[in-house]
Amino acid sequence: MPMDEFEARAGAYISQHQMLQKGDTVIVALSGGADSMALFHFLFSVQNVWGLRLRAAHVNHGLRGAAADGDAAFVRAQCAARGVPLDETLLSPPENAGEEWGRQERYAFFARLAQAHGAKVATAHTCSDNAETVLFNLARGSAARGAAGIPPVRGPYVRPLLWAQRADVLAYLARCGVPHVTDATNDTDAYARNRIRHGVLPALERAHPGAARSITRFAAEMSAVADYLEEQAGALLEQACVPRAVYLPGNIPDAYCAQTLAAAPAAVRHTALARLIAAAAPQQKMSLVPEADALLAKGEGAVQLCEGVWLSIRQGLLAVGPRPEPPRGEAGSWRQPFAPGVFAAPGGLLVEVQLVNYEKMVNSEKDVRNLLKFCADYGKIQDNPCFRTRRPGDMFRPAGRGVTKPLKKLFSEQRVPSAARDALPVLASGGTVLWAAGFGFAEGLAPDEFTKTAVTVTARQMEEVT
């Protein structure tokens, strides 16, 4: 008996996307409606030829009373007639339960079954569903991934009918004499998707026959675009990441160089920001991207993502975490404990403090004299100094100069730009500066023959390390 045209096209689509292999256990998400019954009948017809183990799953959302109970009974009867094992569940909906609640509960049930049976889950989404999804996502605000619509394969989920329109499904059921039930809620305009199904798509089909298929082809192109953007966004975040940065109270593990992010192409930058936002506030990721992008352009400030979580930019670093303390602009306001590690300093600098074995350092370095300009005997640094910006009255005795001078005068003599002076980090104990960015350590701290542990302090612009 020749294969039905519908079945031939479904088989070709499954092969094209490598959805199923011999020996697979396949769970059909079976509501009893036209689409799911068409998929169920098709897979039942080919299961022996393809070497599949077929099961079905039905969800009663508890929202439609006797009508839903009738659908469940219909599904049981169809599975029993074919000898197909059925898993079903009855949900207890909360007050004001909507479409999203039903979807989450439904997929949670499918996921548990897929794991329990080592199975794939086949859903009966069609080309028409895909077009509705794309239009719905675009209307509520979406990036490339939302415009990509429903993927043919995602994790354990396969969708063998994404090529078909509803007319194809109904014609197949009629030819095969397969019954189905009708969910009355699909005929109302109470849900946004129904309004798209009943009003928007038919209007588009009248204006441009074949609109649903055209939208589906567009979605496939956007899927490739989304894959590319996500790959590029991942590379951007890796490039911009400043590991171990001590950024905000609580030592947030990772931060990102704001300048590197801001310089990226807009589409890649937006995708990267959406990824950072989604980790904290998945429901808000696209709506907050414009605010986060404006923050990048500004270079300072914070945007709240959700309760207790903010996307913040301070001192050239972007991070997601607790709300930062309001920045203070006066000289001497910034402080950082003197300890090994990496931290962001004012002026877009990244400062790294390292403790090293002095003997090994001397033996391994070729240019020891140059290295000694940037290190000190760790044991000679006393009194719990801290990193900060300059303060009035700060005094500094640079190594090899033989003179102690006010830091203000030293900056002036070395022609440090006035705008940069208040941002340069120094290591100080009281009013005595032990190290200053661009000048190195003070006189009297250099390593000697008794040194066991040396400390190095380096300060670089953040873009130099990304």
Side-chain angles (χ1 to χ4, degrees):
M1 179 179 178
M3 180 174 281
D4 183 273
E5 179 187 358
F6 181 94
E7 294 175 351
R9 294 189 66 179
Y13 192 76
I14 288 171
S15 297
Q16 177 187 350
H17 294 283
Q18 301 179 336
M19 293 183 184
L20 302 175
Q21 286 77 41
K22 184 177 181 179
D24 280 348
T25 296
V26 184
I27 301 171
V28 179
L30 189 57
S31 68
D35 297 339
S36 69
M37 282 302 298
L39 177 61
F40 182 54
H41 181 74
F42 161 65
L43 289 177
F44 178 77
S45 300
V46 301
Q47 64 172 334
N48 292 330
V49 178
W50 290 6
L52 304 176
R53 292 186 293 272
L54 198 63
R55 303 182 65 91
H58 177 77
V59 179
N60 184 338
H61 296 88
L63 294 170
R64 297 187 296 117
D69 295 338
D71 292 351
F74 171 82
V75 167
R76 285 189 213 107
Q78 294 298 313
C79 290
R82 294 169 174 81
V84 175
L86 171 66
D87 294 290
E88 55 183 319
T89 186
L90 173 61
L91 303 179
S92 298
E95 188 177 354
N96 299 321
E99 284 183 289
E100 185 58 27
W101 169 84
R103 181 185 179 280
Q104 290 178 0
E105 292 294 322
R106 190 164 59 247
Y107 274 89
F109 178 59
F110 295 155
R112 291 194 297 271
L113 292 178
Q115 185 173 18
H117 297 291
K120 295 178 179 177
V121 178
T123 68
H125 292 94
T126 65
C127 171
S128 305
D129 293 317
N130 203 7
E132 292 166 11
T133 297
V134 171
L135 294 173
F136 180 80
N137 288 344
L138 292 176
R140 71 177 178 179
S142 176
R145 181 56 67 193
I150 305 170
V153 179
R154 179 166 56 195
Y157 301 100
V158 296
R159 298 172 173 103
L161 302 187
L162 273 183
W163 60 271
Q165 291 189 285
R166 288 203 170 85
D168 301 315
V169 169
L170 294 174
Y172 175 64
L173 293 177
R175 287 196 302 273
C176 298
V178 177
H180 66 278
V181 297
T182 300
D183 183 345
T185 61
N186 289 334
D187 295 330
T188 75
D189 285 341
Y191 298 112
R193 287 183 182 274
N194 287 1
R195 293 192 289 275
I196 293 174
R197 179 178 305 159
H198 299 150
V200 178
L201 260 183
L204 290 174
E205 289 287 353
R206 288 193 296 272
H208 298 284
R213 294 197 189 280
S214 297
I215 293 171
T216 297
R217 287 194 295 271
F218 165 76
E221 290 294 323
M222 290 308 297
S223 179
V225 171
D227 288 343
Y228 173 78
L229 289 176
E230 286 171 6
E231 180 182 347
Q232 294 299 306
L236 173 62
L237 290 174
E238 185 176 344
Q239 177 191 8
C241 185
V242 182
R244 298 183 294 115
V246 178
Y247 171 56
L248 294 174
N251 293 352
I252 291 173
D254 292 322
Y256 301 87
C257 176
Q259 185 173 354
T260 300
L261 294 176
V268 177
R269 183 175 70 247
H270 295 167
T271 305
L273 289 172
R275 182 181 295 188
L276 293 177
I277 292 169
Q283 301 302 319
Q284 302 291 331
K285 68 176 184 179
M286 288 316 304
S287 62
L288 291 172
V289 165
E291 289 185 63
D293 200 43
L295 199 66
L296 266 180
K298 181 181 177 183
E300 192 86 7
V303 172
Q304 187 171 15
L305 304 183
C306 59
E307 184 66 29
V309 182
W310 294 68
L311 185 148
S312 307
I313 301 177
R314 285 177 62 182
Q315 301 164 9
L317 284 179
L318 179 149
V320 175
R323 183 174 187 173
E325 293 294 326
R328 295 178 294 169
E330 66 273 13
S333 64
W334 170 79
R335 293 173 62 87
Q336 175 68 37
F338 175 57
V342 181
F343 59 88
L349 290 176
L350 197 69
V351 178
E352 182 170 13
V353 180
Q354 290 183 302
L355 300 184
V356 294
N357 180 288
Y358 179 63
E359 183 178 357
K360 290 183 178 179
M361 181 183 72
V362 171
N363 292 334
S364 63
E365 291 289 340
K366 295 181 180 179
D367 191 0
V368 176
R369 290 187 62 185
N370 185 60
L371 177 67
L372 293 180
K373 296 178 183 178
F374 303 99
C375 74
D377 185 330
Y378 184 61
K380 293 180 181 179
I381 298 178
Q382 306 290 327
D383 301 326
N384 296 319
C386 69
F387 289 97
R388 57 172 175 78
T389 49
R390 68 169 181 164
R391 294 176 180 171
D394 278 346
M395 303 296 290
F396 186 39
R397 186 180 180 88
R401 302 285 184 91
V403 61
T404 301
K405 293 185 177 182
L407 193 60
K408 179 179 179 180
K409 185 174 182 180
L410 188 63
F411 282 173
S412 177
E413 290 175 352
Q414 296 300 313
R415 297 182 180 178
V416 176
S418 299
R421 296 177 188 179
D422 285 344
L424 284 179
V426 301
L427 176 66
S429 178
T432 301
V433 174
L434 308 179
W435 171 92
F439 294 89
F441 282 97
E443 187 80 50
L445 299 178
D448 54 34
E449 66 271 23
F450 302 107
T451 299
K452 294 183 178 180
T453 301
V455 56
T456 65
V457 180
T458 56
R460 291 168 289 175
Q461 288 292 328
M462 277 184 281
E463 60 266 24
E464 296 177 11
V465 297
T466 59

